[in-house]
Amino acid sequence: EGRKINHANVMANVHTGTATSGVATFVIESLLQPTTWQPEPDPNRFLLHAAEVSQLCDQCMDIIRSQDMVLKLRAPIKVYGDIHGQYLDLMRLFARYKAPTDGDQGDID
């Protein structure tokens, strides 16, 4: 809580590879101004236009798809959240929504 943001280095932990463009840089620089930021006077105006939001989303998806930790799965799929090691909770979820199975019609490849 006591740390200060060094304004000269606000982009230090931000990935600035080839996928980052003017839109991404503009958004990051606009949002990382905790001491000078002011809300837009017109509540109907947004920081970006629809095309820029779409471009930013496409760039984010490209970055996410390039990550090794992202799993490529097929639908339909059930995702059981972080159960914090509660085995009985996991068994209850499996009893209610079915457990993953092996085989031709199974969930597991």
Side-chain angles (χ1 to χ4, degrees):
E1 186 175 336
R3 294 188 324 171
K4 301 280 184 198
I5 293 177
N6 180 351
H7 294 286
N9 200 17
V10 294
M11 303 287 283
N13 294 322
V14 177
H15 173 70
T16 57
T18 57
T20 302
S21 74
V23 174
T25 302
F26 171 75
V27 170
I28 291 168
E29 288 176 352
S30 297
L31 296 177
L32 290 179
Q33 298 180 15
T35 58
T36 60
W37 181 86
Q38 293 291 318
E40 181 65 37
D42 179 3
N44 297 317
R45 188 169 181 280
F46 187 64
L47 180 67
L48 301 172
H49 296 287
E52 293 170 323
V53 171
S54 179
Q55 180 184 1
L56 189 60
C57 290
D58 290 342
Q59 292 174 355
C60 290
M61 288 305 297
D62 290 342
I63 292 170
I64 290 169
R65 283 188 193 110
S66 72
Q67 301 300 308
D68 292 335
M69 65 184 282
V70 175
L71 301 175
K72 291 165 182 62
L73 307 168
R74 64 179 188 273
I77 187 169
K78 296 176 199 86
V79 177
Y80 299 110
D82 190 352
I83 59 169
H84 299 278
Q86 299 301 314
Y87 182 76
L88 292 177
D89 289 343
L90 180 63
M91 292 299 105
R92 280 189 208 107
L93 290 168
F94 286 168
R96 184 171 186 165
Y97 301 108
K98 297 184 183 176
T101 58
D102 292 324
D104 293 336
Q105 300 298 322
D107 305 291
I108 303 170
D109 288 336

